[in-house]
Structures are given as structure tokens and as C-alpha cells.
Amino acid sequence: VANNQRVSANVYSGSGNDVAGVMSRYTHFAAGNLGYTGYKVTLRSSVTFAYLYRVDNGTQTQIANYVGADAIAGAKFGSEADGTTIRLLINDVVRATATDATYASGNAAFYVGNTRAIDNVLAEDDATVAPTTIEIFKDAQIPLIAKPQTIGY
């Protein structure tokens, strides 16, 4: 059974090529930086680009992107998974959509690089099987991923 999710957070500026963002249908199944999967929305530093990736064992494949004046630090970035439709949201507005059936379930996740910050985190899940677990970890940019901290939702 697929769990439909909406995961969002306000993402604040960093420096260099640092990243921050959110993930839907996230699974961390192995130690180290390559052991995670899911759908990831990322804001890169000092640009107006947002990316939607499918992550397979830590390898990112871009499945959609958005370029616009509202894709800036401080904006609310979101990932929404509804069946096989995966959406990139900015300030609760759908800005890009992809169709992907690779991951049907998982947890919500938030990540920040060394010079980033997030606030106003939100995770919604309609799964009836089990409650969502929220994963919060530092620096999802390969090669460094700190051990995730799991909190109940």
C-alpha cells in the first residue's frame, strides 16, 4: 500500500554549493552515506533553482526541476508523493511534477548542509499501516551523511 505524503520546510540560505531540503518516502537502510532512497527536493545556495530527485542507494537522478524567482532561501520547499505522482512545491504551489513508481512508501526526512537552516517543518502521511517516522540528519550531500536521528510523528 502506497503512503501519500507531503513534507515541507522553510529553507534558509547557506554558502558555496551547500544544500538543504526535504524528502518523501525516505528509507535509510544501511550505515554510511549511500544507504538511503526516496524522493528529494533540494535548494542550492545562491541560485533560484529547485530540483526533484529520485535517490537510489544514495545516487541522485533528477526527475524534475524548477527555475523561478520564488525558489529562494526562506521559501517553503516541499515534496509531495501521491501514488506515482511526485511533486516539487514552493510555498505550497506545485512547480514541477514527475511520474515515478520506484518507491511506494517510506518516511519523511529533512536535511541541512553545514551552512543551511530549516524551520517550520511539516510531515503529513495518510498511511494506515504505521505512523510516519521523521528523519532529521545533517548534510545529505555525498560523501558525508551523519547518522539520522529518528523521532516519532
Side-chain angles (χ1 to χ4, degrees), residues 42-125:
T42 296
L43 167 68
R44 291 214 175 262
S45 297
S46 64
V47 293
T48 54
F49 300 145
Y51 300 95
L52 175 59
Y53 296 104
R54 183 186 66 240
V55 182
D56 306 295
N57 298 323
T59 301
Q60 300 179 143
T61 301
Q62 184 178 314
I63 58 175
N65 72 307
Y66 171 72
V67 179
D70 56 345
I72 58 172
K76 182 178 179 183
F77 283 74
S79 176
E80 184 175 77
D82 183 7
T84 60
T85 302
I86 313 302
R87 299 178 186 95
L88 180 158
L89 297 94
I90 298 178
N91 296 324
D92 295 320
V93 176
V94 175
R95 294 299 191 191
T97 302
T99 301
D100 192 284
T102 306
Y103 303 110
S105 62
N107 298 315
F110 303 91
Y111 61 94
V112 294
N114 291 324
T115 63
R116 289 279 185 173
I118 60 172
D119 196 6
N120 301 317
V121 298
L122 174 67
E124 300 173 300
D125 191 328

